[in-house]
Every structure is written in C-alpha cells, then in structure tokens.
Amino acid sequence: MSEIKKALEKARKEKKTLSKEALEHAGGIKNLPEDIIASNKVFLPAYSQTKSVQVDLKKLINRKVFSILKKDEVADQYKFLMTRILNKTRPDGHNTIEITSFKEGEGKSLTCVNLAITLARESRQTVLLVDMDLRRPSIHSILGIGSTPGLKDYFLNATPVKEMLIHPGIERLTVLPAGGRMDNSTEIMDSHRMEALIHEIKTRYKDRYIIFDAPALNVCSDPLILASHVDTIALVARSGYTTTEDITSGMALLKDKNILGIILNDSGISRGWTY
Ligand SMILES: Nc1ncnc2c1ncn2[C@@H]1O[C@H](COP(=O)(O)OP(=O)(O)O)[C@@H](O)[C@H]1O
Ligand SMILES: [Mg+2]
C-alpha cells in the first residue's frame, strides 16, 4: 500500500477530514465544491482488495446524482424513498431489490445510483449496486468509473467476481459493472452461470443490500427472469412519460411477484412512493 493510501486509510479509520489538496493529490479529484470538501470524510476510499475508482463529484452532480449532496431537496427525496424501502424490507429480512420500469428512459439507472448512494451513506448499510441491464449498461457512465471488467467478462472469460468489484470512493458502496453490452442477454440471464453469480453475490455478505439495475419490462424478458432471483421489485414510472396503459401491461407481467412499489420519478413536485 502506498504512503498516500496508508494516510487515507488512517484518516478514514479516525474519521478525519482531509484538506482539498490532500484529496486531490490522493484521488485525482478536481474542483471539488466547497460543501463537499467540508464533509469529505464520507468520500474517503476504503482500500482493500477491491479496486477503487475515485468518482468526480462535480461530474456526478452534472449527471443528476444529487444524493451525494448533504443539503439538497432532491437528496431529501431519496432519503424519504430509502426510509420507505427500509421500512418495507427490513421486517422480512429482504435485501435484494430489482429496479425495473415499464419502458426505457424512465429513470431506472439514475434512481438506482441515487438510491444506492443514499442507502450506503444514510443508513450505514453496506450496498452492492449491480448493473444488470446487459443490453444498455449505464451505471459505469453515470458514476464515471470508465470501462472496467464486469459481468460480460464473468460470462465470456470466467473473470472472478472479486476482480470486477469497484469501490467508487463512497463508503460502504460497491459496484458490479456490466463490463460492456451483451446482445444475447436473455440467454445469459436464464443460464445456470447467472444463477450461480446471483447466489454468490447474495451469500458473500448476507446483510448487504443489493440493488439490481434491470432493463425495462417491454424490452426483453431479462427483468422477469431476474425477478425470480430477488426478494422484491421496485418499478420506476416517469411523470408525463409513463402512461396508464404502460403500468397496466407491466404490472400484469409481474402479477405473481413480490412488488415493493412504484417510484414516481421526475414529478417536479415530490418524488414519492405511490404504489
Ligand atoms: N428526475 C429526472 N430529472 C431529470 N432527468 C432525469 C430524471 N430521471 C432521469 N433523467 C434523465 O433521463 C435519462 C434516462 O434516465 P435513465 O436513468 O438512464 O433511464 P433508464 O435507466 O430507465 O433507461 C438520463 O439522461 C437521465 O439523466
Ligand atoms: Mg438504464
């Protein structure tokens, strides 16, 4: 471990706040907003065997990942969503959640990233965010973690799970990226190897919340196959975009599944929990 990493690890353990210069030097972060510098202790990377990629906080904000902000109206809505989800899942010991939606562009991936960050930071819960939208993966680009090995490498090259995991520099959050597009995603989703993968990540840390970013229900059967491997499913609907017909046909597909609720995204008034 380098001297810088040792210093960061020591500071992290002692919950110390580092200077802007020290953070920039250690993580290559540029132009941090002042309020983030003031609260930087939550962003210190935890060095372990898992690869760390320090996310650029300013770029995250540009991509609407407002959950990283301490004081923000949108961040507050994600906290509200997190509380609803914890209240509904904890009593049953449910901790694997698929996020899907009725059609593309409703905000699944953005919701997954914001929810995962909020859970990791606010509930002090360890969280794994898995990019299971193998046709249109986007978690890596929202977080700006670049092209790193992911599920594609697991399926094509038998890369071990531990070599694909990424710490994006947010305490308690780990990401399992898709590693590239896979057009034959349904075949893969339905395979024994996928079953083994899900079993492995579920059993690795039993008390960890796992958020799966899945494709939309009207695109392929991947979200339905994944549904049988998770404890519960949350759907995203987008205000002014998702129609009643979309919801009716989507919910019919999931009629036997354990549905947590529908997250109303982009409502402009209050993002809420409507189901
Ligand atoms: N509440 C929102 N406000 C503004 N833009 C949003 C909102 N939710 C999603 N978007 C934008 O809409 C686009 C689609 O969102 P994304 O999360 O990729 O959808 P999906 O994963 O469901 O296809 C992205 O450019 C995203 O930044
Ligand atoms: Mg998406």
Side-chain angles (χ1 to χ4, degrees), residues 159-216:
T159 304
V161 173
K162 64 177 187 326
E163 288 179 23
M164 309 178 312
L165 296 174
I166 301 278
H167 276 313
I170 296 167
E171 253 190 300
R172 293 178 292 276
L173 177 63
T174 306
V175 178
L176 178 48
R181 292 173 66 112
M182 299 187 86
D183 293 331
N184 59 338
S185 66
T186 305
E187 198 185 306
I188 283 163
M189 196 63 96
D190 216 4
S191 66
H192 288 302
R193 212 157 146 64
M194 176 61 89
E195 210 172 308
L197 171 88
I198 295 175
H199 178 74
E200 181 179 346
I201 58 181
K202 270 163 76 167
T203 47
R204 190 178 279 246
Y205 301 103
K206 283 206 161 50
D207 62 341
R208 178 166 67 174
Y209 268 72
I210 306 177
I211 314 255
F212 293 95
D213 182 19

Side-chain angles (χ1 to χ4, degrees), residues 64 101 104-110 136 238 265-266 271:
K64 307 179 189 73
S101 76
E104 286 180 357
E106 286 167 317
K108 292 176 291 298
S109 301
L110 188 61
R136 280 178 68 237
R238 190 164 185 169
N265 179 33
D266 205 6
R271 255 150 280 209

Side-chain angles (χ1 to χ4, degrees), residues 5-134:
K5 283 185 179 178
K6 275 186 198 157
L8 273 174
E9 183 63 13
K10 187 164 174 281
R12 192 182 68 79
K13 280 190 185 137
E14 293 170 5
K15 298 261 182 280
K16 274 189 187 155
T17 297
L18 293 185
S19 68
K20 177 173 184 286
E21 290 71 30
L23 270 179
E24 285 189 349
H25 185 56
I29 313 164
K30 298 274 181 290
N31 304 319
L32 281 169
E34 289 305 320
D35 62 329
I36 286 169
I37 294 164
S39 64
N40 71 15
K41 64 182 176 193
V42 295
F43 297 109
L44 291 176
Y47 289 99
S48 63
Q49 280 189 321
T50 303
K51 190 174 159 195
S52 285
V53 176
Q54 185 64 55
V55 291
D56 183 323
L57 303 175
K58 223 173 177 181
K59 283 190 184 153
L60 280 188
I61 295 165
N62 289 339
R63 294 187 196 114
K64 307 179 189 73
V65 183
F66 297 121
S67 53
I68 57 154
L69 295 172
K70 279 255 174 228
K71 287 190 181 130
D72 178 77
E73 269 180 31
V74 178
D76 287 345
Q77 292 298 326
Y78 286 114
K79 284 182 205 160
F80 180 62
L81 173 64
M82 173 200 75
T83 307
R84 299 297 302 270
I85 289 178
L86 288 175
N87 287 346
K88 281 191 150 208
T89 52
R90 272 188 172 152
D92 298 322
H94 288 172
N95 57 1
T96 52
I97 307 173
E98 171 180 346
I99 310 273
T100 182
S101 76
F102 307 96
K103 54 190 181 186
E104 286 180 357
E106 286 167 317
K108 292 176 291 298
S109 301
L110 188 61
T111 301
C112 282
V113 170
N114 277 302
L115 178 61
I117 292 175
T118 308
L119 265 170
R121 291 184 60 197
E122 303 296 327
S123 74
R124 307 190 68 75
Q125 181 75 54
T126 51
V127 180
L128 174 66
L129 173 59
V130 185
D131 196 343
M132 217 40 126
D133 191 341
L134 302 176

